[in-house]
Amino acid sequence: MSASSGYRGYQVMGENITQGKPDMHEAIDAYKEVEPGRYGDRAAPLEGSNLWPNHLPSFKVLFEEYIDHMKDLSRIILKGIALALGGSPNTFEGERAGDPFWGMRIIGYPECTDIRRIEMQDDGIGCGAHTDYGLLTLVNQDDDIAALQVRNRSGQWIWAAPIPGTFVCNIGDMLKVWSNGLYEPTLHRVINNSPRYRISIPFFFEPNFDAVVEPLDSCKEMTGGTAKFEPVVYGDHLAGKVLNNFAKYD
Ligand SMILES: O=C(O)CCC(=O)C(=O)O
Ligand SMILES: [Fe+2]
């Protein structure tokens, strides 16, 4: 993991920072590849190619096949959301998310032992509370370890306990803007209190890198007629977040 690979590749335990605190996980991070100069200065920090393990040639093939399935599934879910928001099913195609940016992480959370707790002097936070940055996240988590928590409307943290054969679907920041607040991004965090190493694979379906995200007309109509959010270019939002997570590389 380094700034020169556009923050792609392997990160050691504690390298990812959320709200100023190191997260207790290790991960392989991949993003849609961005050729130099493709989106001008705003994409420069995220330019780069993914890094694959040399000794596992099938890894890249399987990974890319999985990404294609995740993109197809995300598009189907977004068609439903678009209809619910009073728009055409293709609202998120074309210049909004027809050429979606994406990210995917393969994350490992260490097993929880008393010794580790003392050594790390941490409170067991595998990933600090945050919302995801884009449209939708599809989390594929280990079937038998409850570690992901989401905060409900009453402010309580509840377990998003795994249901075999399903994904947890989180709403991202950009869907809040496009829906003028009708969709609330899911605040979530990870605490692996189990005595076993946990693996989860979140896939992030994002807008086009250069999409200008602003409340949709149909959503403004449903929420009192005025825009509650300023327009934001998705790539700027993402670059700000990623640089913050890896502040030590600045
Ligand atoms: O490990 C999980 O279940 C979720 C990870 C997560 O929230 C993230 O990487 O954004
Ligand atoms: Fe997340």
Side-chain angles (χ1 to χ4, degrees), residues 105 107 109 127 130 132 139 148 188 190 198 200 202 204:
R105 313 187 62 207
I107 313 177
Y109 298 88
C127 187
H130 66 282
D132 294 339
V139 185
L148 176 60
H188 55 283
V190 179
R198 169 183 183 259
S200 85
F204 306 95

Side-chain angles (χ1 to χ4, degrees), residues 207-226:
N208 295 0
F209 198 89
D210 52 1
V212 178
V213 183
E214 57 190 329
L216 297 167
D217 288 342
S218 66
C219 297
K220 281 191 282 189
E221 275 164 34
M222 284 191 252
T223 51
T226 50

